[in-house]
Amino acid sequence: MSGPSTYEPKTGFTRWLDSRLPVVRLGWDSFVDFPTPRNLNYWYTFGGILTVCLMIQIITGIVLAMHYVPHIDHAFASVQRIDRDVNYGWLIRSIHAVGASMFFLAVYMHIFRGLYYGSYKAPRELLWILGVVIYLLMMAAAFLGYVLPWGQMSYWGAMVITNLLGAFPLIGGPITEWLWGGFSVGNATLNRFFSLHYLIPFLIAGVVGLHVWALHVPGNNNPTGIDVKSNRDTLPFHPYYTSKDGFAIVLFMVIFAFFVFYWPDALGHSDNFIPADPLVTPALIVPEWYLLPFYAILRAVPDKLGGVLLMFGAIGVLFILPWLDTSKVRSMRYRPLARWFFGFFVLACLGLGWAGAALPDDPVPGLGAVGVDFLMMGRVLTVYYFAYFLVILPILGFVEKPASRPASIEESVLGNSSQSAPAAVPAE
Amino acid sequence: MRLIRTLFIAATGALAAVGLATAAGEYRTPEDYRFSFDGPFSSFDRGAVQRGFYVFNQVCAACHSLEHLSIRHLGQPGGPFHDPEYPNPNDNPVVRAIAAEYIVEDGPDDYGDMFERPGRPADGFPQPYANEAQGRAANNGAYPPDLSIITRARHYGAPYIRSLMMGYGEEPPEGVTVGEGLYYNPYFPGGLIAMPPQLQDGLLTYNDGTEATVEQMATDVTEFLAWASDPHMEQRKQLGLMVLAYLVILCGLLFFTYRQVWSKVKH
């Protein structure tokens, strides 16, 4: 979609620069003049929101790293010192901790939006795959970061997750010890987790660059899923989407700030304010909320190796999704059956999160009378999770009769009487 | 409308995430109590935190540490003995007097010897035991937990601490055998706690004339521990109000900017 550049350097300096290093041209073509479908809704603002989330995490994280001590004897106390004695340390740490949850909240919106509007389909397969890579890196960063305060959940979470790799035959044991840097989760583990936690956000930033690049070649998908056909379908990114994204970002910041200032502990676990103790196991070891669905999938399988494979498979299946969905229609707006299955899929993910937080043997409220416990619920929903990708989407493409679609984005916006639509004019 | 629908779905997702917190182990839900610091605009009850510090010092400190606090924290903004006349809490005479009542070990001096001296505001609160083993030996094998962040480290927070302190004296239900050195307290996970009942009516005399009932002391000490766990709460809420007001206004301005920018195009 990126056509010929419309950037014209106006001053002597910008002309000089443009013939040597055309960064201003790059920025102009990517974020000012970039032709963007005129019908993007608020679900499309989460990309911008996520960029802001990443910057917030990196900036607060760099400051926290100046005060944090990655040593098992000092880590917990250093976090307390940040909360109590470092100037505005309580604020910076709260933003970083709440920020992780907000980052995942936004990324889930972003992913579900991509699933619903078929943004993973050709020609955006690589764009989607890069997104899944970012998501994987985010989960790694979040897990590593959660270990750093060295509370009870940090320690036992690290123990559970690293032990999972021990499930692999032959190589499992050596890999686990290599990760630990010893024979148990200890000081060496904490040190390397800190190092990697600092590294990964910059990897994410790099892949985000590729993600945006891959976005700017085919251009944005849009709620109709129909390709851009003429410049009447698009608007320049600035000021139309800078203003819309700007509004959405600040609205998101309101929710963010509410948690930071008025409910900072809501998204964490109280056990993480107890220093790590290898001799005392918490009553219930649970990951942070954003990883709970995968925890439920892990526990749904009675065999440890099977559970680990299935858990990784739950992410792995996303990589091949572009080739699993056989429908020629991108947007589920015009897929009467698929949108129902998608709705159930969202519910299944939420239900898996619920099952991941609960004790497996506890009865499900409302369903306990018929003997459904959380383990059973987790298993059923796990089956649906995989069936959605591996059975439903491949088959639907052949059996589903899509609803009639508008001929163009312009027509979807203006109805059929689109003859006299004015071309986009920059706002005054 | 699309915005409202988007927001609604986003909010549902967030709430679902929050609602996932669960608890394990058999215990009674703490009695609901409205502390002075509940709610978005509230602050600590200065008198209650001061009384609570008195209870902590007289009762809890015999076995429980306050590892992550220094004595000077008592005189910080938001602290129980903060005095605006002394922006540096190390100069605060009340805090200095409290510190001077402790004997702390310092050193080594020029001859390499450790020595004892009266406490200063910059010192930490003295630890009741030299190490965990000593603490366990003195308490029948149970280690009294550090109380620096106790209200944030327990699932139900402040109401749990208050109920726990008031929760002694009930007959254990049938089938529950209370072993030696254990006490029945229905609010404690599992019901059997190694801490003996600590509070009784009239145990202490408050110098502000408040009657020292068990409930009063439990409430006060919880208020103190809530402050100790979250000493910047008041600053957090005040700053939060300004930040939210700023963001909401900015959000409104950006919304109208957005509408204005888009007013000439159909979308």
Side-chain angles (χ1 to χ4, degrees), chain A residues 40-46 244 247-248, chain B residues 2-3 6 255 258:
Chain A
L40 299 189
N41 56 26
Y42 281 104
W43 294 106
Y44 283 80
T45 59
F46 285 100
K244 188 165 187 167
F247 164 61
Chain B
R2 263 177 300 167
L3 168 66
T6 308
F255 178 70
Y258 154 63

Side-chain angles (χ1 to χ4, degrees), chain A residues 94 97 125 129 183 202 300 340 355 358 364:
Chain A
S94 184
E125 303 96 322
I129 287 170
F183 298 100
F202 298 99
W340 279 100
V364 179

Side-chain angles (χ1 to χ4, degrees), chain A residues 38 42 76 80 83-85 90 109 240-241 247 250 261-262 265 270 273-274 284 354 357 413-414 428, chain B residues 10 20 22 40 68-69 72-73 148-149 152-154 228 232 236-237 240-241 254 258 261-262 266-267:
Chain A
R38 61 196 298 154
Y42 281 104
F76 190 87
Q80 280 302 306
D83 265 359
R84 294 167 190 278
D85 286 336
W90 58 271
M109 300 290 168
Y240 291 98
Y241 285 102
F247 164 61
V250 174
F261 289 102
Y262 291 104
D265 292 345
S270 55
F273 283 108
I274 303 171
L284 184 61
W354 190 21
V413 171
L414 303 169
E428 290 143 41
Chain B
L20 290 172
T22 56
H68 301 291
L69 271 83
R72 69 185 156 80
H73 285 135
S148 310
I149 7 171
R152 297 174 85 179
R154 293 296 179 271
H232 296 292
R236 171 160 63 76
K237 288 177 177 172
L241 196 63
L254 285 172
Y258 154 63
V261 167
W262 283 74
K266 282 216 159 199
H267 60 285

Side-chain angles (χ1 to χ4, degrees), chain A residues 95-283:
Chain A
I95 293 173
H96 198 72
V98 171
S101 281
M102 291 297 137
F103 206 156
F104 275 95
L105 182 67
V107 90
Y108 284 133
M109 300 290 168
H110 195 65
I111 292 172
F112 281 130
R113 188 270 290 154
L115 287 172
Y116 185 77
Y117 293 123
S119 304
Y120 47 84
K121 294 188 191 187
R124 298 186 183 81
E125 303 96 322
L126 278 180
L127 172 60
W128 169 263
I129 287 170
L130 287 166
V132 180
V133 170
I134 293 171
Y135 176 46
L136 257 181
L137 288 170
M138 277 176 64
M139 288 198 284
F143 161 68
L144 296 169
Y146 197 55
V147 175
L148 302 186
W150 209 242
Q152 272 289 66
M153 250 348 135
S154 300
Y155 179 85
W156 288 99
M159 199 58 132
V160 168
I161 300 298
T162 51
N163 263 315
L164 290 179
L165 298 166
F168 291 103
L170 294 176
I171 53 165
I175 284 186
T176 315
E177 278 169 23
W178 176 70
L179 270 181
W180 283 340
F183 298 100
S184 178
V185 174
N187 197 47
T189 323
L190 181 59
N191 261 295
R192 61 192 54 195
F193 277 22
F194 178 54
S195 170
L196 294 173
H197 182 68
Y198 207 116
L199 167 70
I200 288 178
F202 298 99
L203 297 181
I204 293 178
V207 185
V208 166
L210 296 177
H211 191 64
V212 174
W213 189 5
L215 167 71
H216 283 189
V217 176
N220 288 80
N221 185 29
N222 65 84
T224 64
I226 300 166
D227 286 328
V228 168
K229 297 197 170 74
S230 72
N231 59 7
R232 295 158 79 89
D233 289 342
T234 63
L235 296 170
F237 190 80
H238 180 75
Y240 291 98
Y241 285 102
T242 42
S243 64
K244 188 165 187 167
D245 281 0
F247 164 61
I249 287 168
V250 174
L251 190 62
F252 189 79
M253 288 300 123
V254 172
I255 303 167
F256 197 138
F258 170 77
F259 276 102
V260 166
F261 289 102
Y262 291 104
W263 215 5
D265 292 345
L267 301 163
H269 196 294
S270 55
D271 274 8
N272 229 23
F273 283 108
I274 303 171
D277 186 346
L279 301 176
V280 180
T281 317

Side-chain angles (χ1 to χ4, degrees), chain B residues 30-77:
Chain B
E31 188 191 324
D32 206 21
Y33 181 79
R34 223 182 137 66
F35 287 97
S36 67
F37 51 83
D38 290 341
F41 308 110
S42 57
S43 50
F44 291 113
D45 174 349
R46 190 57 50 87
V49 180
Q50 291 181 356
R51 289 193 300 274
F53 173 64
Y54 182 59
V55 177
F56 171 81
N57 220 6
Q58 298 294 317
V59 185
C60 316
C63 305
H64 290 280
S65 56
L66 212 51
E67 192 185 333
H68 301 291
L69 271 83
S70 301
I71 302 168
R72 69 185 156 80
H73 285 135
L74 296 170
Q76 270 188 178

